[in-house]
Amino acid sequence: MLRDTRLIFVRDMKLALRSPTWLLIGIMQPLLYLFLFGPLMVSVVDHTPGFPPGGAWEVLTPALIVQTALFSGSFAGVALLTEYRVGVVDRFRGTPASRAALLFGKVLAQAVQATAQSVLIVLVTLLVFDLDASLTGLLLSLAIAAVLAIALSSASYALAMVLKSEAAFPALMNAVLLPLLLLSGVLLPVSEQLAPGWLYNLARINPLTHVVDAERAAFRGDMSATGLLTGSLVLLVMAVLALMWGTRTFRKENA
Amino acid sequence: MASPDEPRATAGIPAGRRESAARLPGREKDFMITVRGLARRFTVRGQSVEAVKGIDFDVAPGEVVGFLGPNGAGKTTTLRMLTTLLRPTGGTGTVAGCDLLTDPQGVRRRIGCVHQGGATWPESRVAEEIELQARLYGLSRSEARRRGALLAERLDLAGLDQRPVKTLSGGQRRRLDIALGLVHEPTLVFLDEPTTGLDPQSRANLWDHVRRLRSEQATTVFLTTHYLDEADALCDRILVTDHGTIVAEGTPDALKARVAGDAITIEVTDQVAEAADVAGRLTGATEVSVDGDTVRFRVPRGDAALPELLRTLDGRGITMASVKVNRPTLDDVFLSLTGRSLRDGDPAPRTTEAAHAA
Ligand SMILES: Nc1ncnc2c1ncn2[C@@H]1O[C@H](COP(=O)(O)OP(=O)(O)O)[C@@H](O)[C@H]1O
Ligand SMILES: [Mg+2]
């Protein structure tokens, strides 16, 4: 199974490297946020109580990394549906290769791509803006982005195989992602001081909120923050559940 | 596979072992495929569709068997069940010696499949696709490359190694699909509508490859098609299917022999009714029908009936514009079995047959 996973991983990575548009499209949005929205954040963060510790870039950049991993992971299923339509998925499923390996190979390739996007975002922020970050913190935040991509792409692949509709899938994704993002405090933190009680409570139920909290803590190198531990645990549970769902869907005889 | 070597090969084995070795494979192992009561029902929005309604058949090793039927007959559904991509809702089967339901992994290891409409990724390169496919079947990288090069050579894909799949012609792409189905040298290959959408030359070329599979490697081939000429030209045996059932089975010649005689079509300038009367009086004439200026009927032997027909028409002063004699085709077989032509909505089936063959 490890061997099959590697074969599929290498195939997906080769194809991704051959047409690196995904990389550009993937970081286009976060870069726009950095350049066109970031400067506003600087003065907002300085004058508003209730923001997490750190300056504007330490608040915004980790959130953009989470958002990027979230988007690229969630839309992984779109490509899978195209592969399904042209018959590639059935071709692989007809071989003796482990069906779980088909999933794992693709998920790992997604994780690597999300990490690459995150690295680019960090590099731009470091070079252009006034980012103050530790190396361990950065590495940890990249790891969080990678695991998030694993969780979301796995769930995305599973959902795509359940829906089997190239039209319905992206529509559903958009409908789910926007509230999830707003409720996770990606742009403005949904903190106790800033949000009304009901909104705050709603955000706390959203697992993604905890992941964003953890990513911010890791990013500013605050390894003792409780948010880091909680968020990491939430993320691990998400990843395990998503991988289980994905494996079950891929193994299904009739999928 | 009864080769002259056989007695020599078994001579050294003690009689007892030889016997048990001969007996060990169960009855179903004498066949490449055995299928009993295989069925598949789909439920679409609460509506139940019986795509395959409990079919039975066997395929012997080395046979090329065609599954012939119109669109929607259930060919692809059957093939997907036989290749473990779809779980049957009824029945049992053994494919390449492995039980379809309890050992799908064993089936997958032993068969090759080429799906309808292909299965290649447009952005991948030809050599890449072949190598990956071989490695998913467990071959080493070097072995995968060796076989890939060999197959590319044999299937006229040599020199296309580094070409992205999307730049291939339809025929090349189909041959690549076939290479992907053969790269692990399976003893049994499934081909779903292998030549649909190909130009006549690519079709003829592909037929040659399928024939060579059988003659050079003794590969068993199970193919589906809705082309009569394809089934006729390629298959040792044909299973004629319609609405999820098998309506007839046999060699192309045996199937055609079921149809009573040759079809004669004459066109007259006037006196159609009288011409039909003349036709009906010929020895053994049946199925006389009139359509405008055209009279159609069947006689046991068209070539023998023609002289008398011409003489009599001439004697009665009936002027004939044209005459055509057709040997029975598989379409006639299908027509006589189901009351429909296999070529949906085709007004002049026999002339297109000629065009197809050209
Ligand atoms: N996944 C599916 N869901 C619902 N109906 C299906 C599905 N696949 C095939 N069918 C139906 O089963 C019948 C047989 O289809 P198919 O096996 O593709 O026929 P063929 O390959 O002979 O053209 C058709 O009526 C088709 O609509
Ligand atoms: Mg079909």
Side-chain angles (χ1 to χ4, degrees), chain B residues 42 44 49 51 69-78 116 192-193:
Chain B
F42 291 109
V44 185
V49 186
N71 281 323
K75 304 184 295 294
T76 298
T77 306
T78 304
Q116 182 171 5
D192 197 359
E193 310 248 356

Side-chain angles (χ1 to χ4, degrees), chain A residues 3 6-7 11 14-15 18 82-83 86-88 90-97 99 253-254, chain B residues 40 80 84-87 105 108-109 118-119 121 123-125 128-129 132-133 135-137 139 180:
Chain A
R3 182 177 173 276
R6 203 191 64 226
L7 287 172
R11 168 194 184 262
K14 253 194 210 165
L15 288 169
R18 198 166 295 157
T82 317
E83 291 188 320
V86 303
V88 173
D90 269 349
R91 189 182 101 212
F92 290 163
R93 292 168 54 82
T95 72
R99 289 182 175 180
E253 204 62 44
N254 293 336
Chain B
R40 176 71 208 199
R80 286 174 60 81
T84 77
L85 290 176
L86 192 66
R87 209 172 168 78
Q105 192 68 0
R108 276 175 220 138
R109 252 195 290 277
W121 186 240
E123 307 297 330
S124 288
R125 308 225 164 114
E128 235 169 48
E129 286 282 52
L132 174 65
Q133 182 78 357
R135 301 205 66 200
L136 289 175
Y137 278 96
L139 299 184
L180 295 176

Side-chain angles (χ1 to χ4, degrees), chain B residues 188-211:
Chain B
L188 168 62
V189 183
F190 292 91
L191 307 170
D192 197 359
E193 310 248 356
T195 66
T196 299
L198 293 188
D199 57 278
Q201 197 191 336
S202 305
R203 293 185 75 203
N205 173 295
L206 214 111
W207 288 358
D208 284 341
H209 289 305
V210 175
R211 288 195 189 103

Side-chain angles (χ1 to χ4, degrees), chain A residues 122-137:
Chain A
V122 169
L123 282 181
V124 170
T125 329
L126 272 175
L127 293 176
V128 182
F129 303 105
D130 175 26
L131 181 69
D132 177 23
S134 71
L135 185 64
T136 23

